[in-house]
Amino acid sequence: MLSPDKPQNSKSSPVTGQPDSENDSKFFSRKEGLFQKVNHAQFVELLYTAGFSKEEILDIELAYNFAKFGHYGQYRYGGERYFEHPKQVALALIKTRIELSEMGFENEAKEAVTRDEIIKALNHDIVEDTPFFAGRQISKEEARETIEWRLVHTYGPDVKDGILVLTKVEAGEDGLTKAEAKLASIEKIANAPVSDQLVKLADRLHNISTLKHTPEEQQLRVLDATVSDYLPIFMTLADAATVDELLKIQRGVPAHALAARLLTTRLVNELNWLKSEERCKKTETPLPPRHKVAEESESLTARSEFRKVIEQSGLSIIDKQLIYYAYDLAEHGYAYEENPQGEKPSFVPISLGTLRLIERLKPLDPERRDVQLIIGALLSGTLESSWIFGSNAVPQLNYREISERNIEKLFGREVCRLVISQTRDEAVRAGREGSVRNYAKSLREFGPRATVLAMNRTLSELLKAVNLPDDKKQQLIDYTEKYFLPVYRRFADATISYKEVAHGYLSDINNTLKILKAN
């Protein structure tokens, strides 16, 4: 077993060997905890400090949101939300890049810790612990294909490969025993590209720093694996034969090795501190490490029905993948966090409304770009009711701008335009007459598909109106008849591609209005 030596304490050394030394890193101070919590805005501020470009930050922002939503409802031992772990792993890399730059190794810092490493750090557990990229209610074989497709589609092949390398091999996978799966996981890291090993190093460092919250048996197991299995890999990554060599931050050392020396030194310090303080015996009452969000049967039924319809649609595999991805992202956004207005809406009506649209469009026509229309329907309330594609954490950009950018990145400009066309500002949602009138008129600017989506949404709202208070119900009826129906009638008369679809919606809207007024 390789036992870490106690590094020397030198005021001239860039890395301290003493946890409470005045030379300790400002980012990893033992006095305030090895890892300090930051909020979303502070995380983004550190990205700017580290010299990431605006486009890189927006890519990282998407990975941040996906990790946050993907791990929603999961907690670590000790009670903190699981998302804090991948966030802290990413922060360890960001802060390492900043520290190397401040020490005069700016080029090496940017080479060692790139956009890809931060994205991999944020999403390194998302495949292993969540259905976020796999989808739900599908076989293991389908899940594996779906995961790979979504990771490539979202981040590119290099990030996909890295996230899969960092994903633990499970017992039973390819017939492996538990011991064989553990060995396979270690071998994956040992043979991985240096960029992926660096992410694993940051991951192991944070796991060791929070070890006190886990049961004693698990602490000992993790410590033993770290020292015997992973520390030799990290020492090789750092291009260091001894612990003393970790302190040599100097020219001529490869970029990834410089970053690894900083992180491995801290790992050695943490292991020494745990040993000297006998922290393994000072456990706190643990909580179960994973809490799964209980899904409502209504959501399960809606998703099952949706998948059945899409599977029978005759669409290509790629089109199905895009639609299922949009469905899962929209559902996550609706189900797991309050929207910008402080509400917690349900995704089920969106799912049912999209099924009505698909029924109207049958047979689905690729030339008519029906797939974009279906995805637009699924994401139609995203900019009003979900934070999943963006936040207000990036300076000089609001969540709408970031969300639009990311929707376009994932699903294309046409889908993004459709989503924008269905997004109603607060004045429209509040029922202010002038705003409703202007919104109805604006539909023509977005083209025929936007009007089809608006008709679908109007019908959905009217079908739900039976549960509204009388004054709200009457307002919806009045505005539909006064502002939307004239637009829909003109569209139904003028359109060629969607004539049958438009007249069908028009008939259903009129019939529903009659029923509402009769009641």
Side-chain angles (χ1 to χ4, degrees):
M1 179 184 294
L2 178 60
S3 178
D5 298 323
K6 185 177 181 180
Q8 64 183 8
N9 178 26
S10 170
K11 290 190 176 183
S12 61
S13 172
V15 182
T16 180
Q18 295 292 336
D20 290 327
S21 166
E22 62 184 277
N23 297 313
D24 211 11
S25 164
K26 68 178 181 179
F27 293 124
F28 295 89
S29 172
R30 164 59 62 196
K31 294 175 183 177
E32 299 182 21
L34 188 63
F35 291 86
Q36 300 170 26
K37 287 189 176 182
V38 300
N39 61 28
H40 196 159
Q42 291 168 329
F43 182 94
V44 172
E45 184 179 348
L46 283 169
L47 289 173
Y48 275 109
T49 302
F52 287 97
S53 69
K54 183 178 176 181
E55 279 302 305
E56 289 174 326
I57 289 173
L58 289 174
D59 287 343
I60 292 168
E61 169 80 358
L62 183 64
Y64 183 104
N65 282 346
F66 281 8
K68 182 178 178 181
F69 278 85
H71 289 293
Y72 182 89
Q74 297 179 336
Y75 297 86
R76 305 188 84 209
Y77 283 110
E80 72 173 2
R81 59 180 183 166
Y82 194 87
F83 170 63
E84 292 301 323
H85 169 61
K87 182 165 77 169
Q88 288 294 342
V89 174
L91 282 168
L93 295 170
I94 295 166
K95 293 171 181 178
T96 297
R97 173 163 156 156
I98 293 172
E99 191 165 0
L100 278 175
S101 295
E102 291 181 345
M103 294 164 60
F105 296 91
E106 186 173 348
N107 291 335
E108 290 86 349
K110 290 181 177 180
E111 180 184 343
V113 181
T114 70
R115 155 202 176 272
D116 286 2
E117 278 71 70
I118 307 305
I119 290 173
K120 286 183 281 190
L122 287 166
N123 285 184
H124 76 274
D125 278 338
I126 204 166
V127 171
E128 182 179 316
D129 293 337
T130 83
F132 189 82
F133 281 111
R136 298 178 176 85
Q137 296 175 292
I138 58 178
S139 67
K140 285 187 176 181
E141 291 72 21
E142 286 181 292
R144 187 173 299 181
E145 292 176 4
T146 300
I147 288 167
E148 294 203 9
W149 182 88
R150 290 184 179 183
L151 287 173
V152 171
H153 183 73
T154 306
Y155 303 126
D158 291 342
V159 172
K160 180 267 293 184
D161 290 343
I163 290 175
L164 294 182
V165 163
L166 294 162
T167 300
K168 183 172 65 178
V169 179
E170 298 288 349
E173 189 175 325
D174 297 325
L176 297 177
T177 65
K178 187 175 181 179
E180 290 170 337
K182 177 185 175 184
L183 182 60
S185 295
I186 296 168
E187 288 179 346
K188 271 207 305 183
I189 298 301
N191 297 319
V194 292
S195 59
D196 299 336
Q197 291 179 338
L198 194 64
V199 177
K200 184 63 180 181
L201 169 53
D203 173 37
R204 184 56 52 153
L205 176 58
H206 185 249
N207 281 333
I208 288 295
S209 76
T210 56
L211 206 56
K212 65 179 181 179
H213 297 297
T214 61
E216 184 173 348
E217 180 183 347
Q218 183 172 332
Q219 292 183 30
L220 296 173
R221 187 170 63 249
V222 171
L223 280 172
D224 181 61
T226 300
V227 174
S228 62
D229 299 327
Y230 287 105
L231 194 54
I233 297 173
F234 301 149
M235 293 294 288
T236 301
L237 175 66
D239 197 19
T242 66
V243 173
D244 286 340
E245 286 187 13
L246 294 175
L247 300 175
K248 297 176 181 178
I249 309 298
Q250 59 194 21
R251 302 290 173 192
V253 177
H256 68 270
L258 289 174
R261 287 184 180 189
L262 291 179
L263 290 169
T264 306
T265 297
R266 292 183 176 105
L267 178 62
V268 170
N269 286 346
E270 189 69 7
L271 290 168
N272 279 334
W273 184 76
L274 283 168
K275 182 179 179 181
S276 65
E277 296 292 327
E278 295 186 330
R279 293 295 296 175
C280 283
K281 297 180 180 178
K282 299 179 181 179
T283 60
E284 298 180 7
T285 303
L287 292 175
R290 304 282 190 275
H291 291 304
K292 300 293 183 184
V293 177
E295 291 195 272
E296 297 179 5
S297 59
E298 187 181 19
S299 296
L300 292 170
T301 302
R303 189 186 311 115
S304 178
E305 181 63 26
F306 187 87
R307 287 191 64 89
K308 184 166 68 175
V309 169
I310 295 299
E311 286 303 312
Q312 297 171 352
S313 66
L315 292 171
S316 70
I317 293 174
I318 293 298
D319 286 340
K320 289 178 184 178
Q321 287 279 26
L322 284 166
I323 290 170
Y324 291 147
Y325 197 16
Y327 189 104
D328 287 344
L329 291 177
E331 186 180 42
H332 268 86
Y334 273 79
Y336 293 159
E337 188 165 318
E338 291 182 349
N339 64 15
Q341 289 75 46
E343 303 160 342
K344 199 159 190 174
S346 169
F347 180 68
V348 172
I350 300 291
S351 178
L352 297 177
T354 306
L355 284 177
R356 278 194 295 272
L357 173 66
I358 294 171
E359 191 62 35
R360 286 274 179 220
L361 293 172
K362 285 181 178 178
L364 299 179
D365 184 357
E367 296 297 322
R368 201 171 54 181
R369 291 183 286 181
D370 288 347
V371 171
Q372 287 93 330
L373 198 55
I374 294 168
I375 295 173
L378 290 169
L379 301 179
S380 61
T382 301
L383 298 180
E384 296 174 13
S385 304
S386 172
W387 289 101
I388 193 164
F389 289 111
S391 72
N392 284 324
V394 181
Q396 299 178 336
L397 290 175
N398 61 42
Y399 89 98
R400 271 287 303 272
E401 294 171 302
I402 297 172
S403 295
E404 288 172 16
R405 180 256 189 194
N406 287 329
I407 291 171
E408 181 173 345
K409 173 184 170 71
L410 293 175
F411 300 106
R413 180 59 186 159
E414 174 65 19
V415 169
C416 186
R417 276 181 55 80
L418 287 172
V419 175
I420 293 171
S421 75
Q422 303 306 301
T423 302
R424 304 175 180 181
D425 62 24
E426 291 184 16
V428 176
R429 291 196 299 272
R432 295 176 191 165
E433 189 166 357
S435 298
V436 174
R437 179 182 63 248
N438 293 335
Y439 171 75
K441 287 182 178 179
S442 74
L443 290 172
R444 285 174 288 183
E445 301 172 9
F446 288 96
R449 280 181 288 280
T451 307
V452 171
L453 286 185
M455 296 177 88
N456 185 62
R457 181 169 181 171
T458 295
L459 179 58
S460 296
E461 290 174 341
L462 291 172
L463 290 171
K464 293 187 297 180
V466 67
N467 298 318
L468 292 176
D470 289 342
D471 59 333
K472 293 289 185 183
K473 185 194 304 181
Q474 188 59 51
Q475 185 186 59
L476 178 60
I477 293 171
D478 292 344
Y479 285 172
T480 300
E481 292 183 326
K482 189 174 181 180
Y483 299 120
F484 289 97
L485 275 181
V487 173
Y488 297 160
R489 289 192 188 105
R490 285 194 295 270
F491 171 69
D493 291 338
T495 185
I496 297 175
S497 299
Y498 294 103
K499 186 168 289 291
E500 186 177 343
V501 173
H503 279 287
Y505 271 123
L506 204 53
S507 175
D508 284 352
I509 289 170
N510 281 318
N511 289 336
T512 307
L513 284 169
K514 289 177 183 177
I515 294 171
L516 288 174
K517 287 192 284 188
N519 293 333

